Amino acid sequence: MSKEIVVSGVRPTGRQHLGNYFGAVVNFVKMQEICDGYFFVADYHSLTTHPKAADLKSNIKQIVVEYLACGLDPNKCTLYLQSDLPQIPELYLIFNMFSYVGELEREATFKEKVREQPDNVNAGLLTYPVLMAVDIIIHKAVKVPVGKDQQQHLEMTRDFVRRFNNLYGVEYFPEPQAFNFGDTLVSIPSLDGEGKMSKSKGEQTCIYLSDEPEAIRKKIMRAVTDAGPQAPNSVKPLVIQNIFDLMKLVSAPETIQFFDEKYNDCTIRYGDLKKQLAEDMVKFVSPIGEKIKELNTNDKMLSEIIGDGGTKARASAAQTIKDVREIIGIKSF
Ligand code: TYM
């Protein structure tokens, strides 16, 4: 039986943090064992913010290095750069015809970007979900491991696919589903106690996979807390729940239970809670950080991996483009 096809990617906008890891990459690593995985660096996507060429170049390398340091194995999955597939822009052009300006303008991330960067509301930002859909369907993926913030993009991908299949009376593209090994898609909280961990909120609010132990300790000790529980067994306010949620990612169940009990009987000291979290976090992140340093010096190996991955991904993408051209009637005589 053929394996399920899985596709996902990360934008090269800087170092990856715990959100990227637990929302996406940890799932890629598990899925490469059982699925036909295509994992890429979404370099075209990052152009919406007009990065400097040198920064983009080093950020692309950073993502590849981090993928490998987290455990992606080029012998078990296909690792490539989005821009190494000329079929992506071709299918993107075609799918722009099946996406409507109204639905693109209503998309939550687009509306957020319009608010955040009113001077740079470019067309690429508007059609971002089309490009993302194309990344997924170019390999006819059925599962897409992503964090909760990408849910709407996946819904739109299914809309585009359904529209295409209906219009041409085919069942060519499967409808892909967002995926996480847990029960639901996850959103890893920011250290500032508000919303999800995100590069755009600043260095101090994220734990990066390449952070040095001292940086991790400092950031966690500075994480926002409150005055402490005022009555036994009270519901944890969001900022405290966030710290417990981070603990669930890296600490032993007994540790969490210990601090839960302390919270419930109002004897908790947040300094101790954060110290414990910091140590468990360092233990978890440091081995990945060490591998990142090691791999960073091996450009030859990195370029071979990306070269081979590109070749494999292009072969899969070429088949899809050939079929699509036939389905829509663009076919040479
Ligand atoms: P990006 O680069 O913003 O993030 C990469 C992955 O990390 C997840 N993520 C999080 N998950 C949980 N909690 C968080 N705090 C958190 N922060 C980030 C994201 O959900 C994502 O899975 N549009 C995508 C890149 C992309 C893509 C694709 C993904 C382009 N084409 C095709 C899947 C399939 C993005 O901007 O991710």
Side-chain angles (χ1 to χ4, degrees), residues 6 21-22 24-35 39 70-72 76 145 179-182:
V6 170
Y21 183 80
F22 286 103
V25 182
V26 72
N27 291 298
F28 304 179
V29 175
K30 287 193 205 162
M31 288 172 116
Q32 69 179 347
E33 305 293 338
I34 45 175
C35 303
F39 303 115
C70 289
L72 280 185
K76 295 180 177 169
F179 182 82
N180 184 283
F181 272 98

Side-chain angles (χ1 to χ4, degrees), residues 85-112:
L85 272 54
Q87 296 86 358
I88 296 273
E90 182 171 349
L91 195 60
Y92 172 53
L93 183 148
I94 293 171
F95 266 77
N96 271 320
M97 314 302 173
F98 308 124
S99 58
Y100 292 100
V101 173
E103 67 186 333
L104 296 170
E105 281 174 340
R106 280 194 300 276
E107 194 267 321
T109 319
F110 177 71
K111 288 201 278 192
E112 198 183 296

Side-chain angles (χ1 to χ4, degrees), residues 35-317:
C35 303
D36 193 0
Y38 291 86
F39 303 115
F40 65 96
V41 182
D43 45 8
Y44 282 144
H45 279 278
S46 66
L47 293 176
T48 56
T49 51
H50 306 163
K52 289 200 182 80
D55 291 345
L56 180 55
K57 202 171 165 198
S58 78
N59 283 337
I60 290 171
K61 178 179 166 188
Q62 181 77 17
I63 302 295
V64 175
V65 163
E66 290 174 342
Y67 273 168
L68 296 170
C70 289
L72 280 185
D73 178 347
N75 296 311
K76 295 180 177 169
C77 67
T78 307
L79 281 180
Y80 61 99
L81 309 187
Q82 180 188 35
S83 60
D84 276 342
L85 272 54
Q87 296 86 358
I88 296 273
E90 182 171 349
L91 195 60
Y92 172 53
L93 183 148
I94 293 171
F95 266 77
N96 271 320
M97 314 302 173
F98 308 124
S99 58
Y100 292 100
V101 173
E103 67 186 333
L104 296 170
E105 281 174 340
R106 280 194 300 276
E107 194 267 321
T109 319
F110 177 71
K111 288 201 278 192
E112 198 183 296
K113 298 282 176 197
V114 171
R115 269 195 310 274
E116 280 170 8
Q117 49 183 70
D119 297 336
N120 181 23
V121 184
N122 58 65
L125 215 48
L126 183 68
T127 56
Y128 185 108
V130 185
L131 183 56
M132 179 158 160
V134 164
D135 292 329
I136 297 166
I137 65 175
I138 197 84
H139 303 300
K140 302 175 80 181
V142 293
K143 281 188 182 147
V144 186
V146 282
K148 201 168 170 40
D149 59 335
Q150 300 296 318
Q151 206 162 17
Q152 195 181 6
H153 286 145
L154 261 294
E155 277 161 26
M156 293 179 85
T157 302
R158 287 194 291 277
D159 288 344
F160 302 148
V161 159
R162 229 173 281 136
R163 211 170 282 158
F164 177 91
N165 287 347
N166 285 340
L167 190 64
Y168 292 101
V170 289
E171 295 219 357
Y172 183 69
F173 288 114
E175 290 183 26
Q177 300 291 334
F179 182 82
N180 184 283
F181 272 98
D183 301 335
T184 52
L185 299 182
V186 298
S187 183
I188 305 303
S190 163
L191 290 178
D192 66 2
E194 278 173 44
K196 61 167 186 168
M197 193 172 280
S198 160
K199 290 167 203 165
S200 60
K201 294 178 94 187
E203 290 271 316
Q204 294 307 315
T205 64
C206 298
I207 305 275
Y208 294 98
L209 300 177
S210 54
D211 270 345
E212 293 293 342
E214 241 356 84
I216 296 176
R217 290 192 184 99
K218 267 199 195 131
K219 288 184 198 180
I220 292 183
M221 293 315 287
R222 275 200 223 114
V224 180
T225 50
D226 63 3
Q230 305 300 309
N233 301 315
S234 42
V235 176
K236 296 186 186 87
L238 192 64
V239 286
I240 304 302
Q241 186 57 51
N242 283 348
I243 295 185
F244 275 86
D245 285 348
L246 289 171
M247 214 170 205
K248 279 186 207 139
L249 301 172
V250 294
S251 301
E254 309 82 74
T255 309
I256 298 158
Q257 198 188 341
F258 173 82
F259 284 105
D260 247 337
E261 283 165 12
K262 293 238 165 228
Y263 185 85
N264 287 335
D265 66 16
C266 302
T267 57
I268 193 159
R269 287 175 13 183
Y270 288 144
D272 295 345
L273 173 76
K274 291 200 275 187
K275 230 184 246 165
Q276 179 71 48
L277 174 61
E279 289 319 307
D280 291 341
M281 191 63 79
V282 166
K283 237 185 258 162
F284 183 85
V285 172
S286 290
I288 302 177
E290 289 306 313
K291 282 194 205 131
I292 292 174
K293 276 190 211 149
E294 224 178 278
L295 288 158
N296 245 321
T297 58
N298 206 337
D299 282 5
K300 186 166 174 283
M301 183 192 74
L302 297 174
S303 88
E304 271 169 26
I305 289 174
I306 286 306
D308 290 352
T311 305
K312 267 166 75 186
R314 273 191 299 278
S316 152

